[in-house]
Amino acid sequence: MSENEAVVNITVNGQPVEAKPGEWVIAAAERAGVYIPHFCYHPRMNSVGMCRMCIVDIDAGRGPALQPSCMVEVSEGMVVDTTSEQTRKAQDGVLEFLLLNHPLDCPVCDKGGECPLQDQTMAYGPGESRFVEEKRHFEKPIPVNDLVYLDRERCILCDRCTRFADEVAGDPLITFQDRGDQTQVNTFPDLPFSSYFSGNTVQICPVGALTAVPYRFKARPWDLTEVESTYPNPMGDRVVVQASRDQVLRYQGVDSDAVNWGWLTDKDRFAFEATASELRLHTPLVRGTPLGRLDPGGSELVETSWGQALSLAADAIKAAVADKGPQSVAVLGGARLANEDQYAWARLAKGVIGTDHVDAQLDDGLPAEGVLGLPRATINRACTPGGTVILMAPDPKEEQGTLYLRLRHAIVNDGVQLIELTPRATGLSHLAAFRLHHRPGEAAAVAAALMGGDIEAGPDGDIGGASVSAVAAAAAAIADRAEQPLTVVLGRPSLAEPADFTMDAVAELVRFANLLSAGGRPGIAFLPVLHRGNVLGALDMGLAPGLLPGRITLADGGPALAEAWGSVPSNPGADARGILQAAANGQIDVLILLGADPLGDFPHRELADEALSRVGTIVASDLFLNPSTVRAHIVFPAAGFAERRGTHTNLEGRITGQRQIVTPPGTARADWAIATELARQLGVDFGFGVPEDVWDEITRVAPSHRNLSMEAIDASDDGVVAADSSIAFTPPEHATPVPHVDAYSLRLVAARRMYDRGTLVQHASSLSGLAPTAVLAVNPYDFDRVGVEPGADVQVISNAGEMDMPVVADPGVPRGTAAFGYNYPDLDVRDLVDPDAMVTDLRIQTR
């Protein structure tokens, strides 16, 4: 402990221990290296003292007595004895009672070999049972949802799963039922455990009562090898990757205090199935003849050698540069890659080819310079007790699951004040102190009023769709907590409108932040929640127009980096929309796709289709064939997560390591190696032989990453946070004009859901069926106005197109707004989004 931190002096097994005020005895003992056996206790949940296994001798001044160490706070002078005869006898008795009805089916139980009940029975138990009567029996197993099976006979009623569902996830869908020896954990009738976080209950279950369907009967713990790594999602969740026979079989959450606290979403936990999919790419493909020669007009992708594929790609790039210059080559994607992969591709594009037409986002994020130029918050800062969080992003429960869990805990347990500044309700709305749900395109007006501007009602009697009284109350609440941290969780709340509106709102928040800073107060920091796995790493590594590795611009860092790279572009290139527009105009001869699928993911599908049809050569590096790579001319099979080493940057700028545990399928290669070899074909030797070589160069040339050695990253349990950016956010000169409200239409809000038709979800057999069917959600008030009934099949019309779908009532959707999910498997919202309008207006009519 630090010198200034208060301590409570206790004695554990005769040794002095410094505990923290308010700490449970079991936690203080564990920090001192004394393990007290337990089942129900979990450091991330409230203590309930259910199992009584942690009973020890505790003397708080009135003489020793057996007490549950998970329910007793430390006090000055307390004496704890975990080895006394009374303690041993109590633990012996508890285990005997727990085993009365517990089936001894360890040889066929998935928990066998890593079961706390097994271990503690051997260490503390009686060694034999005096119970000879028939044990209780239940039907087994029963599905509590599509991913988790329940074996009620094995349950020891520790209350871990029910507490997690209620306290942590906020989905109290699994609970105790019945009484006496028939007490059991189960779901409510006809209501499955429909939580995005159900897999966590399997991990924390101390017996084999809850088992994961994708892992059942796949391996034993002693068959598994494991490495600690970082899952490639924006949160950078820390995980243990376990494999057997060169196949990944399981992800387990690691309790990283700075990031995910050991929790994972089911989507991330069970996505490992996709890595073993039979549809993985194994060998390079070219569009051409059976001999693997490139024929741009060929109808099939055929297998070829790496040498042939790389040579053909290099020849296409050379021809494009010679004919139209470096700007005729463009790169899209790269957010799924490790930092080393991203750096190698950025150096290839900007330092070798000479193009700045590079963008890791597919027009579904925020401007790179805006994100990097804002003061960056950490997750822990956002969760500071007593602080305020402004949510100006998509629903974190749908897109950033473990961030949702962290924010929920902070709001419920630590007094964090949440203000929602979103176009519709989120999974945190019921916990928000203020819900300022604005009309699409009008976030800036609400932000300006919230930050001290004029709070005056507009023509419709509100401020951008939000209640005047609610905005005024929220502004007063922010002022009351001006001495506490103010954090903005920032993202793209709707894909049916451009990022301009969000950045206008950011400008209002930054103006207020400057006033706070001038007064010596904490000011505002931003936590960017952009879509795609390692998108913040991609921006750091220069996979964005106008940027170079190290969070510097072409103008500021170009001359310095040119000495290491040889050259860099002098003028900023185009973003994803600009690249595809240039391709559609015939100005892009070679388009490189790095795990990107413009046809399936770019908001303007018609533009993506036209662009890909006009590009001379499409080069793709990917794990699978998708709608875009199917149209590529050269396809490189890439190594995925757990198949290559590297580092990852999460949304707060925290850099952690990724480890390899299995070999890539076939001849697939890591992207840094593909980029390095392609550069060699173009006459430049990067000198990279292993990923560590790439990282060493990053630490030399990237200002924000200097002195961040791989040893320092590996030595820290939670990684390291990169230095702040030298880029300053420049507010827009003029606010984007607020669109006119059409009294006869509904404005469209489109955001992603947890499960959709994304590549990993659709290639993971346990997840592919979880994507919901498409519906249009409308506020109940609007049904009479538009003349339809809830649940009816309606025709939805916009300037871009029309489609038929059911319409449902949702009070979380503001009046005058219609919400529709992005990337549904059955209907595509892009058919409705008007790419030429600032907002998309919908009209609904019965069919």
Side-chain angles (χ1 to χ4, degrees), residues 718-779:
D718 295 325
V720 295
V721 178
D724 290 337
S725 173
S726 61
I727 299 173
F729 171 69
T730 303
E733 292 185 6
H734 304 286
T736 306
V738 178
H740 174 69
V741 178
D742 184 345
Y744 299 97
S745 301
L746 301 175
R747 287 188 178 176
L748 176 63
V749 173
R752 300 180 188 274
R753 301 289 302 272
M754 176 71 71
Y755 301 115
D756 54 18
R757 63 178 178 187
T759 300
L760 290 182
V761 170
Q762 294 306 310
H763 286 89
S765 58
S766 298
L767 302 177
S768 58
L770 300 180
T773 55
V775 295
L776 187 73
V778 174
N779 189 283

Side-chain angles (χ1 to χ4, degrees), residues 6 57-58 94 98 115 137 204 283 368 451 520 566 572 574 605 636 722 747:
D57 256 327
I58 298 177
V94 168
L98 289 177
C115 175
H137 298 287
I204 65 177
T283 189
M451 295 293 102
R605 184 169 58 181
F636 298 128
R747 287 188 178 176

Side-chain angles (χ1 to χ4, degrees), residues 448-530:
L450 184 64
M451 295 293 102
D454 294 333
I455 302 180
E456 297 181 0
D460 299 304
D462 53 33
I463 300 177
S467 162
V468 174
S469 59
V471 174
I478 291 176
D480 289 342
R481 297 197 183 193
E483 302 299 332
Q484 298 296 325
L486 176 59
T487 304
V488 180
V489 178
L490 176 65
R492 184 84 169 271
S494 174
L495 297 176
E497 62 184 66
D500 299 357
F501 292 124
T502 301
M503 300 315 295
D504 287 341
V506 169
E508 297 295 339
L509 300 180
V510 169
R511 179 181 64 80
F512 179 72
N514 293 335
L515 296 177
L516 283 181
S517 299
R521 293 175 176 175
I524 294 180
F526 293 81
L527 192 64
V529 288
L530 305 181

Side-chain angles (χ1 to χ4, degrees), residues 679-700:
R680 188 175 291 114
Q681 295 273 348
L682 294 173
V684 178
D685 185 1
F686 288 169
F688 301 151
V690 292
E692 289 76 10
D693 295 339
V694 188
W695 185 256
D696 287 343
E697 181 168 302
I698 292 172
T699 60
R700 291 196 304 270

Side-chain angles (χ1 to χ4, degrees), residues 319-617:
V321 172
D323 185 26
K324 297 182 180 178
Q327 298 303 308
S328 64
V329 181
V331 179
L332 281 179
R336 70 167 175 79
L337 309 179
N339 292 327
E340 291 78 1
D341 303 317
Q342 295 164 344
Y343 176 83
W345 279 111
R347 182 175 175 185
L348 173 66
K350 301 189 177 189
V352 177
I353 299 173
T355 180
D356 195 53
H357 289 333
V358 177
D359 196 357
Q361 303 184 78
L362 288 185
D363 201 34
D364 57 2
L366 297 173
E369 291 191 25
V371 172
L372 296 181
L374 295 169
R376 185 79 61 88
T378 64
I379 300 167
N380 281 342
R381 184 192 196 273
C383 299
T384 300
T388 297
V389 170
I390 299 177
L391 180 63
M392 199 165 67
D395 187 348
K397 189 172 185 179
E398 297 289 346
E399 290 206 32
Q400 313 282 351
T402 47
L403 178 61
Y404 161 80
L405 297 182
R406 290 292 310 275
L407 290 174
R408 186 182 186 282
H409 181 275
I411 296 166
V412 172
N413 298 282
D414 299 326
V416 168
Q417 174 179 256
L418 176 67
I419 298 174
E420 278 191 334
L421 183 54
T422 58
R424 65 167 300 180
T426 73
L428 291 170
S429 290
H430 66 291
L431 300 173
F434 303 97
R435 295 177 288 277
L436 311 179
H437 297 151
H438 58 80
R439 285 186 294 267
E442 300 188 40
V446 183
L450 184 64
M451 295 293 102
D454 294 333
I455 302 180
E456 297 181 0
D460 299 304
D462 53 33
I463 300 177
S467 162
V468 174
S469 59
V471 174
I478 291 176
D480 289 342
R481 297 197 183 193
E483 302 299 332
Q484 298 296 325
L486 176 59
T487 304
V488 180
V489 178
L490 176 65
R492 184 84 169 271
S494 174
L495 297 176
E497 62 184 66
D500 299 357
F501 292 124
T502 301
M503 300 315 295
D504 287 341
V506 169
E508 297 295 339
L509 300 180
V510 169
R511 179 181 64 80
F512 179 72
N514 293 335
L515 296 177
L516 283 181
S517 299
R521 293 175 176 175
I524 294 180
F526 293 81
L527 192 64
V529 288
L530 305 181
H531 183 63
R532 305 181 196 283
N534 190 18
V535 63
L536 270 299
L539 300 184
D540 283 353
M541 295 300 105
L543 284 183
L547 295 180
L548 293 170
R551 305 177 184 174
I552 52 178
T553 63
L554 290 176
D556 293 336
L561 196 60
E563 296 182 10
W565 281 10
S567 64
V568 294
S570 56
N571 298 315
D575 60 8
R577 182 175 290 271
I579 289 171
L580 292 177
Q581 187 62 62
N585 295 337
Q587 298 169 353
I588 301 296
D589 282 356
V590 176
L591 179 63
I592 301 174
L593 302 177
L594 305 178
D597 178 18
L599 286 177
D601 216 10
F602 184 73
H604 189 183
R605 184 169 58 181
E606 290 75 13
L607 176 60
D609 182 68
E610 176 67 15
L612 295 190
S613 66
R614 296 291 303 276
V615 173
T617 303

Side-chain angles (χ1 to χ4, degrees), residues 424-426 753 775-783 790 807-815 817 819:
R424 65 167 300 180
T426 73
R753 301 289 302 272
V775 295
L776 187 73
V778 174
N779 189 283
Y781 168 85
D782 287 318
F783 279 93
V807 60
V808 298
D810 186 348
V813 177
R815 294 180 181 184
T817 300

